[in-house]
Protein backbone atom coordinates (compact mmCIF):
# COMPACT_ATOMS: atom_id res chain seq x y z
CA UNK A 1 0.00 0.00 0.00
CA UNK A 2 1.44 3.34 -0.98
CA UNK A 3 0.67 6.40 1.05
CA UNK A 4 0.56 9.90 -0.29
CA UNK A 5 3.68 12.00 -0.08
CA UNK A 6 3.33 15.20 1.87
CA UNK A 7 3.73 18.30 -0.28
CA UNK A 8 6.72 19.64 1.59
CA UNK A 9 8.50 20.00 4.86
CA UNK A 10 7.15 21.47 8.04
CA UNK A 11 4.84 24.46 7.98
CA UNK A 12 6.68 25.79 10.97
CA UNK A 13 9.82 26.62 9.14
CA UNK A 14 8.88 26.61 5.51
CA UNK A 15 5.84 28.11 3.85
CA UNK A 16 3.99 25.46 1.89
CA UNK A 17 3.15 25.85 -1.79
CA UNK A 18 0.52 28.45 -1.18
CA UNK A 19 -2.22 28.71 -3.76
CA UNK A 20 -2.75 31.92 -5.63
CA UNK A 21 -6.49 32.41 -5.31
CA UNK A 22 -8.78 32.84 -2.38
CA UNK A 23 -10.63 29.67 -3.26
CA UNK A 24 -7.43 27.75 -3.34
CA UNK A 25 -6.40 29.34 -0.05
CA UNK A 26 -9.65 28.22 1.52
CA UNK A 27 -9.04 24.72 0.19
CA UNK A 28 -5.54 24.73 1.66
CA UNK A 29 -6.91 25.91 5.00
CA UNK A 30 -9.48 23.12 4.94
CA UNK A 31 -6.79 20.56 4.20
CA UNK A 32 -4.64 21.94 7.00
CA UNK A 33 -7.60 21.76 9.37
CA UNK A 34 -8.22 18.18 8.29
CA UNK A 35 -4.57 17.35 8.95
CA UNK A 36 -4.69 19.05 12.33
CA UNK A 37 -7.84 17.17 13.20
CA UNK A 38 -6.04 13.92 12.55
CA UNK A 39 -3.39 15.10 14.95
CA UNK A 40 -5.78 14.79 17.84
CA UNK A 41 -5.81 11.02 17.38
CA UNK A 42 -2.15 10.33 18.12
CA UNK A 43 1.03 12.22 18.91
CA UNK A 44 4.47 10.74 18.46
CA UNK A 45 5.85 7.57 16.94
CA UNK A 46 3.28 4.76 17.23
CA UNK A 47 3.83 2.28 20.09
CA UNK A 48 4.31 -0.58 17.61
CA UNK A 49 7.78 0.82 16.90
CA UNK A 50 8.67 0.73 20.62
CA UNK A 51 10.03 4.27 20.54
CA UNK A 52 12.36 5.61 23.15
CA UNK A 53 10.52 8.83 23.96
CA UNK A 54 12.61 11.79 25.00
CA UNK A 55 10.88 14.85 26.38
CA UNK A 56 12.74 18.17 26.45
CA UNK A 57 14.13 19.68 29.61
CA UNK A 58 15.35 23.19 30.29
CA UNK A 59 12.36 25.48 30.54
CA UNK A 60 10.41 27.61 28.08
CA UNK A 61 13.39 29.27 26.38
CA UNK A 62 15.48 26.17 26.01
CA UNK A 63 14.37 22.72 24.96
CA UNK A 64 17.19 20.25 25.46
CA UNK A 65 17.00 16.65 24.29
CA UNK A 66 19.53 14.28 25.80
CA UNK A 67 20.63 11.60 23.34
CA UNK A 68 22.90 10.00 25.95
CA UNK A 69 20.54 7.20 27.05
CA UNK A 70 19.69 6.37 23.44
CA UNK A 71 23.36 6.14 22.48
CA UNK A 72 24.15 4.01 25.49
CA UNK A 73 21.38 1.61 24.55
CA UNK A 74 22.48 1.58 20.90
CA UNK A 75 25.99 0.58 21.95
CA UNK A 76 24.67 -2.03 24.35
CA UNK A 77 22.36 -3.61 21.79
CA UNK A 78 24.57 -2.87 18.76
CA UNK A 79 21.74 -1.14 16.98
CA UNK A 80 21.41 1.97 14.86
CA UNK A 81 19.47 5.04 15.92
CA UNK A 82 16.47 6.34 14.01
CA UNK A 83 16.06 9.73 15.64
CA UNK A 84 12.76 11.43 14.92
CA UNK A 85 12.11 15.04 15.84
CA UNK A 86 8.41 15.77 15.90
CA UNK A 87 6.28 18.57 17.23
CA UNK A 88 3.05 18.21 19.18
CA UNK A 89 1.29 20.80 17.01
CA UNK A 90 2.72 19.91 13.60
CA UNK A 91 0.32 18.50 11.00
CA UNK A 92 3.11 17.08 8.88
CA UNK A 93 4.38 15.19 11.91
CA UNK A 94 0.92 13.66 12.38
CA UNK A 95 0.92 12.71 8.72
CA UNK A 96 4.19 10.83 9.03
CA UNK A 97 3.21 9.20 12.32
CA UNK A 98 -0.11 8.15 10.81
CA UNK A 99 1.75 6.69 7.86
CA UNK A 100 3.94 4.67 10.23
CA UNK A 101 0.92 3.56 12.19
CA UNK A 102 -1.01 2.53 9.11
CA UNK A 103 1.89 0.48 7.76
CA UNK A 104 3.27 -0.84 11.03
CA UNK A 105 2.59 -4.46 10.10
CA UNK A 106 4.83 -4.16 7.07
CA UNK A 107 7.42 -1.75 8.45
CA UNK A 108 8.08 -2.78 12.04
CA UNK A 109 10.11 -5.89 11.10
CA UNK A 110 12.41 -3.66 9.04
CA UNK A 111 12.94 -1.35 12.01
CA UNK A 112 14.39 -4.19 14.12
CA UNK A 113 18.03 -3.16 13.57
CA UNK A 114 17.06 0.32 14.74
CA UNK A 115 16.20 1.98 18.01
CA UNK A 116 13.54 4.54 17.24
CA UNK A 117 14.06 7.69 19.28
CA UNK A 118 11.13 10.08 19.50
CA UNK A 119 12.13 13.64 20.38
CA UNK A 120 8.95 15.49 21.30
CA UNK A 121 9.16 19.17 20.56
CA UNK A 122 6.75 21.95 19.56
CA UNK A 123 6.59 24.22 16.53
CA UNK A 124 7.30 27.20 18.77
CA UNK A 125 10.71 25.75 19.60
CA UNK A 126 13.13 27.48 17.30
CA UNK A 127 16.54 26.39 16.10
CA UNK A 128 18.15 28.61 18.74
CA UNK A 129 16.08 27.13 21.54
CA UNK A 130 16.38 23.49 20.54
CA UNK A 131 19.49 21.87 21.99
CA UNK A 132 20.84 18.36 21.65
CA UNK A 133 22.89 16.98 24.51
CA UNK A 134 25.45 14.24 24.01
CA UNK A 135 27.48 13.52 27.12
CA UNK A 136 28.69 16.78 28.62
CA UNK A 137 28.11 18.75 25.41
CA UNK A 138 24.86 20.52 24.68
CA UNK A 139 24.65 22.17 21.28
CA UNK A 140 21.97 24.35 19.72
CA UNK A 141 20.38 22.86 16.60
CA UNK A 142 22.60 24.59 14.03
CA UNK A 143 25.81 23.89 15.92
CA UNK A 144 24.78 20.30 16.45
CA UNK A 145 24.13 19.90 12.73
CA UNK A 146 27.49 21.41 11.89
CA UNK A 147 29.21 19.18 14.41
CA UNK A 148 27.95 16.05 12.68
CA UNK A 149 28.39 17.39 9.13
CA UNK A 150 24.67 17.51 8.42
CA UNK A 151 23.74 19.91 5.61
CA UNK A 152 20.42 20.82 7.21
CA UNK A 153 21.73 23.90 8.95
CA UNK A 154 19.76 26.54 7.16
CA UNK A 155 16.53 25.99 9.04
CA UNK A 156 14.89 23.71 11.53
CA UNK A 157 12.18 21.69 9.87
CA UNK A 158 9.56 19.57 11.63
CA UNK A 159 9.54 16.65 11.34
CA UNK A 160 13.17 15.68 10.88
CA UNK A 161 14.92 12.33 11.00
CA UNK A 162 18.56 11.49 11.65
CA UNK A 163 20.17 8.10 11.12
CA UNK A 164 23.10 7.35 13.42
CA UNK A 165 25.35 4.47 14.22
CA UNK A 166 26.00 3.74 17.93
CA UNK A 167 28.91 6.23 17.87
CA UNK A 168 26.61 9.04 16.67
CA UNK A 169 28.11 8.93 13.20
CA UNK A 170 25.48 9.94 10.61
CA UNK A 171 24.78 7.04 8.26
CA UNK A 172 23.28 9.10 5.46
CA UNK A 173 22.44 12.71 4.68
CA UNK A 174 18.72 12.97 5.28
CA UNK A 175 16.32 15.39 3.66
CA UNK A 176 14.49 18.14 5.50
CA UNK A 177 11.04 16.83 6.35
CA UNK A 178 9.70 13.32 5.83
CA UNK A 179 7.67 13.95 2.70
CA UNK A 180 9.98 11.92 0.48
CA UNK A 181 9.63 8.71 2.46
CA UNK A 182 5.97 8.36 3.24
CA UNK A 183 5.45 5.32 1.10
CA UNK A 184 6.46 1.86 2.26
CA UNK A 185 8.96 1.47 -0.57
CA UNK A 186 10.58 4.80 0.19
CA UNK A 187 10.66 4.19 3.93
CA UNK A 188 12.49 0.97 3.16
CA UNK A 189 14.93 2.90 0.98
CA UNK A 190 15.73 5.03 4.00
CA UNK A 191 16.14 2.05 6.32
CA UNK A 192 18.37 0.37 3.75
CA UNK A 193 20.40 3.57 3.38
CA UNK A 194 19.76 3.79 -0.36
CA UNK A 195 21.37 6.96 -1.67
CA UNK B 1 28.93 46.75 -19.91
CA UNK B 2 28.68 43.44 -21.64
CA UNK B 3 26.06 42.02 -23.88
CA UNK B 4 24.22 38.76 -23.20
CA UNK B 5 26.45 35.91 -24.14
CA UNK B 6 24.11 33.70 -26.08
CA UNK B 7 20.85 35.42 -26.93
CA UNK B 8 19.84 32.54 -29.15
CA UNK B 9 20.09 30.16 -26.22
CA UNK B 10 17.97 32.53 -24.15
CA UNK B 11 15.28 32.50 -26.80
CA UNK B 12 15.45 28.73 -27.01
CA UNK B 13 15.12 28.48 -23.23
CA UNK B 14 11.97 30.60 -23.27
CA UNK B 15 10.51 28.36 -25.98
CA UNK B 16 11.34 25.34 -23.84
CA UNK B 17 9.58 26.88 -20.86
CA UNK B 18 6.47 27.47 -22.94
CA UNK B 19 6.61 24.00 -24.34
CA UNK B 20 7.06 22.40 -20.97
CA UNK B 21 4.25 24.35 -19.38
CA UNK B 22 1.93 23.25 -22.16
CA UNK B 23 2.79 19.60 -21.73
CA UNK B 24 -0.48 17.73 -21.20
CA UNK B 25 -0.63 15.68 -18.05
CA UNK B 26 -2.07 12.82 -20.03
CA UNK B 27 1.41 12.20 -21.40
CA UNK B 28 2.52 10.86 -18.03
CA UNK B 29 2.63 7.08 -18.44
CA UNK B 30 0.40 5.22 -16.06
CA UNK B 31 3.11 2.66 -15.52
CA UNK B 32 5.21 5.25 -13.71
CA UNK B 33 2.46 6.49 -11.45
CA UNK B 34 1.81 5.05 -8.04
CA UNK B 35 -1.29 5.68 -5.99
CA UNK B 36 -1.86 9.39 -5.65
CA UNK B 37 0.06 10.09 -8.84
CA UNK B 38 3.43 9.55 -7.20
CA UNK B 39 6.26 8.11 -9.23
CA UNK B 40 6.87 4.43 -8.61
CA UNK B 41 10.27 2.79 -8.74
CA UNK B 42 11.75 5.10 -11.30
CA UNK B 43 15.23 4.23 -12.46
CA UNK B 44 18.04 6.74 -12.71
CA UNK B 45 18.45 6.05 -16.41
CA UNK B 46 14.76 6.10 -17.29
CA UNK B 47 13.34 8.56 -19.77
CA UNK B 48 10.41 10.84 -19.04
CA UNK B 49 7.76 12.52 -21.17
CA UNK B 50 9.26 15.89 -20.30
CA UNK B 51 12.69 14.74 -21.40
CA UNK B 52 11.34 13.39 -24.69
CA UNK B 53 9.91 16.82 -25.42
CA UNK B 54 13.07 18.63 -24.39
CA UNK B 55 15.25 16.25 -26.32
CA UNK B 56 13.38 16.95 -29.52
CA UNK B 57 13.53 20.69 -29.04
CA UNK B 58 17.19 20.81 -28.03
CA UNK B 59 18.77 18.08 -30.09
CA UNK B 60 16.28 17.09 -32.76
CA UNK B 61 16.88 13.59 -34.02
CA UNK B 62 20.59 13.50 -33.13
CA UNK B 63 21.58 10.27 -31.38
CA UNK B 64 22.44 10.56 -27.69
CA UNK B 65 24.58 7.90 -26.08
CA UNK B 66 23.94 7.04 -22.45
CA UNK B 67 26.58 4.42 -21.76
CA UNK B 68 28.52 6.29 -19.10
CA UNK B 69 31.70 6.35 -21.16
CA UNK B 70 32.04 10.10 -21.55
CA UNK B 71 30.11 11.84 -18.80
CA UNK B 72 28.80 11.08 -15.33
CA UNK B 73 26.31 12.98 -13.19
CA UNK B 74 26.56 12.68 -9.43
CA UNK B 75 23.54 13.78 -7.38
CA UNK B 76 21.93 12.51 -4.19
CA UNK B 77 18.72 10.50 -4.31
CA UNK B 78 17.44 12.78 -1.56
CA UNK B 79 19.02 16.11 -0.79
CA UNK B 80 18.88 18.04 2.45
CA UNK B 81 16.86 20.78 0.77
CA UNK B 82 15.08 20.77 -2.57
CA UNK B 83 16.23 24.33 -3.15
CA UNK B 84 19.86 23.32 -2.96
CA UNK B 85 20.57 19.94 -4.51
CA UNK B 86 24.30 19.44 -5.05
CA UNK B 87 25.23 18.06 -8.46
CA UNK B 88 28.57 17.21 -9.98
CA UNK B 89 29.35 16.67 -13.63
CA UNK B 90 32.36 14.47 -14.29
CA UNK B 91 33.84 14.19 -17.76
CA UNK B 92 35.69 10.96 -18.43
CA UNK B 93 38.47 12.50 -20.51
CA UNK B 94 40.67 15.58 -20.48
CA UNK B 95 39.99 18.56 -22.71
CA UNK B 96 42.29 18.59 -25.75
CA UNK B 97 42.17 20.63 -28.96
CA UNK B 98 41.51 17.41 -30.87
CA UNK B 99 38.54 16.37 -28.73
CA UNK B 100 36.89 18.31 -25.99
CA UNK B 101 33.55 18.91 -24.34
CA UNK B 102 32.13 21.80 -26.26
CA UNK B 103 28.85 22.24 -24.46
CA UNK B 104 27.16 20.91 -21.34
CA UNK B 105 23.40 21.04 -20.84
CA UNK B 106 22.07 20.59 -17.33
CA UNK B 107 18.37 19.81 -17.10
CA UNK B 108 15.75 19.12 -14.45
CA UNK B 109 12.93 17.39 -16.31
CA UNK B 110 10.02 18.52 -14.15
CA UNK B 111 11.07 22.00 -13.16
CA UNK B 112 8.99 24.93 -14.39
CA UNK B 113 12.06 25.90 -16.40
CA UNK B 114 13.80 22.59 -17.08
CA UNK B 115 16.96 23.85 -18.78
CA UNK B 116 18.98 24.92 -15.75
CA UNK B 117 22.25 25.69 -17.49
CA UNK B 118 24.04 25.57 -20.80
CA UNK B 119 27.80 25.84 -20.55
CA UNK B 120 29.94 26.66 -23.58
CA UNK B 121 33.41 25.32 -22.94
CA UNK B 122 36.85 25.67 -24.42
CA UNK B 123 39.92 23.46 -24.08
CA UNK B 124 41.10 26.06 -21.53
CA UNK B 125 38.90 24.27 -18.99
CA UNK B 126 41.42 21.45 -18.96
CA UNK B 127 39.06 18.99 -17.36
CA UNK B 128 35.33 19.53 -17.92
CA UNK B 129 34.16 18.78 -14.39
CA UNK B 130 31.65 21.14 -12.82
CA UNK B 131 29.78 21.34 -9.54
CA UNK B 132 26.81 23.48 -8.68
CA UNK B 133 23.53 23.40 -6.75
CA UNK B 134 20.09 23.11 -8.30
CA UNK B 135 16.53 23.77 -7.32
CA UNK B 136 14.46 20.64 -7.87
CA UNK B 137 10.74 21.31 -7.62
CA UNK B 138 9.41 17.76 -7.51
CA UNK B 139 10.52 14.17 -8.00
CA UNK B 140 12.44 14.42 -11.24
CA UNK B 141 15.31 13.24 -13.32
CA UNK B 142 18.29 15.54 -13.43
CA UNK B 143 20.29 15.15 -16.63
CA UNK B 144 23.51 16.28 -18.15
CA UNK B 145 24.04 16.14 -21.90
CA UNK B 146 27.64 16.53 -22.98
CA UNK B 147 28.18 17.74 -26.52
CA UNK B 148 31.65 16.94 -27.80
CA UNK B 149 33.65 18.89 -30.35
CA UNK B 150 33.20 16.00 -32.80
CA UNK B 151 29.43 16.38 -32.59
CA UNK B 152 28.71 13.39 -30.37
CA UNK B 153 26.11 13.70 -27.62
CA UNK B 154 26.44 11.79 -24.35
CA UNK B 155 24.00 11.80 -21.46
CA UNK B 156 23.86 10.71 -17.86
CA UNK B 157 20.97 11.16 -15.44
CA UNK B 158 19.97 10.72 -11.81
CA UNK B 159 16.53 10.51 -10.32
CA UNK B 160 16.19 12.95 -7.42
CA UNK B 161 13.44 12.73 -4.83
CA UNK B 162 12.67 16.10 -3.37
CA UNK B 163 10.04 18.79 -3.62
CA UNK B 164 9.46 22.48 -3.20
CA UNK B 165 12.83 23.58 -4.54
CA UNK B 166 11.35 26.38 -6.60
CA UNK B 167 9.09 27.73 -3.84
CA UNK B 168 11.44 27.51 -0.86
CA UNK B 169 11.61 30.80 1.01
CA UNK B 170 14.39 33.19 0.07
CA UNK B 171 17.35 33.60 2.35
CA UNK B 172 18.40 37.17 1.75
CA UNK B 173 19.99 38.60 4.83
CA UNK B 174 22.13 41.13 3.00
CA UNK B 175 20.45 42.50 -0.12
CA UNK B 176 23.19 45.11 -0.46
CA UNK B 177 25.55 42.29 -1.37
CA UNK B 178 23.58 41.19 -4.44
CA UNK B 179 25.93 40.92 -7.36
CA UNK B 180 29.10 40.40 -5.38
CA UNK B 181 31.10 37.96 -7.47
CA UNK B 182 33.69 35.98 -5.60
CA UNK B 183 36.42 33.61 -6.76
CA UNK B 184 38.19 31.20 -4.47
CA UNK B 185 40.89 28.66 -5.14
CA UNK B 186 40.48 25.61 -2.91
CA UNK B 187 44.15 24.80 -3.59
CA UNK B 188 46.96 26.79 -5.18
CA UNK B 189 46.77 26.81 -8.98
CA UNK B 190 49.31 24.80 -10.96
CA UNK B 191 50.80 26.36 -14.05
CA UNK B 192 50.03 24.26 -17.12
CA UNK B 193 47.62 21.90 -15.39
CA UNK B 194 43.89 21.93 -14.67
CA UNK B 195 43.36 23.92 -11.48
CA UNK B 196 40.13 24.12 -9.55
CA UNK B 197 38.29 27.35 -8.79
CA UNK B 198 35.04 28.23 -7.06
CA UNK B 199 32.88 31.07 -8.31
CA UNK B 200 29.96 32.40 -6.28
CA UNK B 201 27.60 35.20 -7.23
CA UNK B 202 25.60 36.55 -4.29
CA UNK B 203 22.13 36.68 -5.76
CA UNK B 204 18.64 35.56 -4.64
CA UNK B 205 18.00 33.82 -7.96
CA UNK B 206 14.30 34.21 -7.29
CA UNK B 207 12.14 31.80 -9.21
CA UNK B 208 8.86 33.70 -9.17
CA UNK B 209 7.28 30.88 -7.17
CA UNK B 210 8.44 32.02 -3.74
CA UNK B 211 5.96 33.63 -1.40
CA UNK B 212 6.80 36.73 0.61
CA UNK B 213 5.50 35.79 4.03
CA UNK B 214 4.89 39.42 4.98
CA UNK B 215 3.12 40.71 1.89
CA UNK B 216 1.67 37.31 0.92
CA UNK B 217 2.64 38.20 -2.64
CA UNK B 218 4.80 36.17 -4.94
CA UNK B 219 8.31 37.47 -5.34
CA UNK B 220 8.98 38.22 -9.03
CA UNK B 221 11.60 36.10 -10.69
CA UNK B 222 15.04 37.65 -10.61
CA UNK B 223 18.01 35.52 -11.43
CA UNK B 224 21.49 35.32 -12.87
CA UNK B 225 21.22 34.82 -16.62
CA UNK B 226 24.79 34.67 -17.83
CA UNK B 227 28.29 34.23 -16.53
CA UNK B 228 31.37 34.56 -18.72
CA UNK B 229 34.59 33.27 -17.19
CA UNK B 230 38.00 34.00 -18.63
CA UNK B 231 41.60 33.64 -17.55
CA UNK B 232 44.33 35.99 -18.77
CA UNK B 233 41.93 37.27 -21.41
CA UNK B 234 41.15 33.82 -22.79
CA UNK B 235 37.64 32.41 -22.51
CA UNK B 236 37.32 29.47 -20.14
CA UNK B 237 33.56 29.00 -20.30
CA UNK B 238 30.32 30.89 -20.76
CA UNK B 239 27.20 29.90 -18.87
CA UNK B 240 23.60 30.60 -19.80
CA UNK B 241 21.60 30.06 -16.64
CA UNK B 242 18.14 30.03 -15.18
CA UNK B 243 16.38 30.07 -11.82
CA UNK B 244 16.75 26.31 -11.55
CA UNK B 245 20.19 27.16 -10.21
CA UNK B 246 20.04 27.69 -6.43
CA UNK B 247 20.33 31.10 -4.83
CA UNK B 248 23.85 32.48 -4.68
CA UNK B 249 24.80 30.53 -7.82
CA UNK B 250 28.04 28.72 -7.23
CA UNK B 251 30.18 26.87 -9.73
CA UNK B 252 33.25 24.79 -9.13
CA UNK B 253 35.21 24.40 -12.33
CA UNK B 254 38.71 23.90 -13.70
CA UNK B 255 40.95 26.14 -15.75
CA UNK B 256 44.49 25.81 -17.05
CA UNK B 257 46.75 28.76 -16.12
CA UNK B 258 49.52 28.86 -18.69
CA UNK B 259 51.08 31.81 -16.89
CA UNK B 260 50.10 34.10 -14.03
CA UNK B 261 47.00 36.10 -14.88
CA UNK B 262 43.58 37.25 -13.85
CA UNK B 263 40.62 34.97 -13.43
CA UNK B 264 37.61 37.08 -14.35
CA UNK B 265 33.84 36.64 -14.36
CA UNK B 266 31.31 38.90 -16.05
CA UNK B 267 27.80 38.35 -14.78
CA UNK B 268 24.42 39.60 -16.01
CA UNK B 269 21.08 39.05 -14.33
CA UNK B 270 17.50 39.13 -15.54
CA UNK B 271 17.17 42.83 -14.69
CA UNK B 272 20.15 43.54 -16.93
CA UNK B 273 22.34 44.38 -13.95
CA UNK B 274 25.95 43.56 -14.59
CA UNK B 275 28.62 42.53 -12.16
CA UNK B 276 32.24 41.51 -12.34
CA UNK B 277 34.59 39.62 -10.12
CA UNK B 278 38.24 38.78 -10.48
CA UNK B 279 41.11 37.03 -8.81
CA UNK B 280 44.79 37.39 -9.53
CA UNK B 281 46.39 33.98 -9.94
CA UNK B 282 50.12 34.08 -9.38
Amino acid sequence: MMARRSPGPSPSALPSHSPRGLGAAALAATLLWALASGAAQAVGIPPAYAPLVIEPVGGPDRAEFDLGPALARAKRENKRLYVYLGASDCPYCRRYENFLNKNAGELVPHFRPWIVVDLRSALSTTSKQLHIRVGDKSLAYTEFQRSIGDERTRMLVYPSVWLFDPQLKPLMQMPAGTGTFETVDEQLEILNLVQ
Amino acid sequence: MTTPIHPSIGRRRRMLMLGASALPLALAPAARAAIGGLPANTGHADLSPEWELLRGRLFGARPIQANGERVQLIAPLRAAYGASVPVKIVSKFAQAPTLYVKRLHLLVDKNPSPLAATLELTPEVGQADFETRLRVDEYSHVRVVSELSNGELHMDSRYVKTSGGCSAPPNRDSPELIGRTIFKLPAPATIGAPSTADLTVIHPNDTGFELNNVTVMYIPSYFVRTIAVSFAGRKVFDADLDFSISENPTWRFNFVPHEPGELRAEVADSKEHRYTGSLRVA
Side-chain angles (χ1 to χ4, degrees), chain A residues 2-5 7 14-15 17-20 151-155 173-176 180 183 185-186 189-190 194-195, chain B residues 34-36 38 41 77-81 133 139 158 161-164 167 169-171 208-209 211 213 218 247:
Chain A
M2 306 287 276
R4 290 182 73 91
R5 176 167 55 98
L14 294 173
H17 300 222
S18 298
R20 290 170 194 269
E151 292 179 25
R152 294 172 295 178
T153 54
R154 179 175 156 181
M155 64 189 77
Q173 174 63 58
M174 291 291 286
T180 62
T183 67
D185 286 347
E186 292 179 319
E189 278 182 351
I190 295 294
V194 176
Q195 301 189 59
Chain B
I35 292 168
L38 295 175
N41 294 322
L77 180 60
R78 290 177 177 83
Y81 300 114
R133 286 181 175 266
Y139 283 25
R158 288 278 299 172
K161 295 184 174 187
T162 190
S163 64
S167 58
N171 187 28
F209 300 100
L211 194 68
N213 289 328
Y218 283 89
E247 71 178 56

Side-chain angles (χ1 to χ4, degrees), chain A residues 35-141:
Chain A
L35 280 167
S37 299
Q41 294 168 4
V43 172
I45 297 287
Y49 294 81
L52 174 58
V53 176
I54 300 180
E55 299 284 355
V57 295
D61 293 332
R62 180 184 168 94
E64 182 182 274
F65 295 91
D66 187 354
L67 286 182
L71 278 168
R73 191 175 140 195
K75 285 175 188 164
R76 206 164 52 239
E77 299 178 13
N78 194 26
K79 285 189 174 184
R80 296 164 164 178
L81 290 175
Y82 191 94
V83 179
Y84 170 76
L85 174 68
S88 56
D89 48 354
C90 152
Y92 290 99
C93 304
R94 295 301 85 71
R95 183 198 292 263
Y96 180 62
E97 293 154 12
N98 289 338
F99 156 74
L100 289 178
N101 193 42
K102 187 176 172 186
N103 297 285
E106 206 170 341
L107 288 175
V108 165
H110 296 278
F111 271 90
R112 283 199 186 116
W114 301 85
I115 296 170
V116 180
V117 181
D118 185 356
L119 309 182
R120 295 194 171 174
S121 186
L123 289 181
S124 57
T125 301
T126 64
S127 60
K128 287 181 181 167
Q129 294 168 331
L130 191 144
H131 285 64
I132 304 287
R133 172 171 288 282
V134 179
D136 57 358
K137 262 191 186 174
S138 180
L139 299 175
Y141 171 81

Side-chain angles (χ1 to χ4, degrees), chain B residues 256-278:
Chain B
V256 180
H258 298 289
E259 68 281 314
E262 185 184 64
L263 201 50
R264 182 176 175 82
E266 296 183 357
V267 179
D269 70 19
S270 56
K271 290 183 182 173
E272 301 298 324
H273 297 146
R274 302 188 185 265
Y275 317 102
T276 58
S278 62

